[in-house]
Amino acid sequence: MMKRQEPCKGCNDQHDVKISDAKMARLVEIASRSRETVQDEEYERRLSICSACPGLQYGTTCRHCGCLVQVRAKLSESTCPFPYESQWA
């Protein structure tokens, strides 16, 4: 007998995958406490590229790695996970 799979969180009305701007700002601030970050100009450049990427889901999540793009874009050690070639290069 096959077990019925649960729908993904994005397809299930029980879960809200959207993150408020305030919560996102807090997550970026927490991630930035102990790691080196990029300057605001570079951060905005990276976010602009991510915003135009077809891999952006829900306005916050990278389809290629599952990360929150606002957090990833702020950290200097991060790279774009776009397949085959970083879009941030």
Side-chain angles (χ1 to χ4, degrees), residues 32-56:
S32 300
R33 285 183 187 165
S34 61
R35 299 188 208 160
E36 191 175 325
T37 60
V38 296
Q39 298 294 320
D40 289 343
E41 183 178 296
E42 176 63 9
Y43 177 62
E44 293 301 326
R45 184 186 78 81
R46 288 177 174 190
L47 286 181
S48 176
I49 292 167
C50 291
S51 293
C53 181
L56 183 65

Side-chain angles (χ1 to χ4, degrees), residues 6-88:
E6 293 293 319
C8 71
K9 289 182 180 182
C11 299
N12 188 336
D13 292 337
Q14 179 182 358
H15 300 283
D16 185 8
V17 296
K18 305 279 185 192
I19 298 174
S20 71
D21 290 341
K23 186 171 184 177
M24 183 60 72
R26 179 81 173 125
L27 291 170
V28 170
E29 188 267 322
I30 290 168
S32 300
R33 285 183 187 165
S34 61
R35 299 188 208 160
E36 191 175 325
T37 60
V38 296
Q39 298 294 320
D40 289 343
E41 183 178 296
E42 176 63 9
Y43 177 62
E44 293 301 326
R45 184 186 78 81
R46 288 177 174 190
L47 286 181
S48 176
I49 292 167
C50 291
S51 293
C53 181
L56 183 65
Q57 296 179 317
Y58 315 114
T60 58
T61 307
C62 177
R63 172 177 61 159
H64 302 293
C65 70
C67 73
L68 297 172
V69 296
Q70 288 86 341
V71 173
R72 186 180 197 98
K74 188 67 176 171
L75 303 176
S76 62
E77 72 213 29
S78 296
T79 59
C80 168
F82 193 82
Y84 310 113
E85 183 178 352
S86 171
Q87 299 301 299
W88 295 349

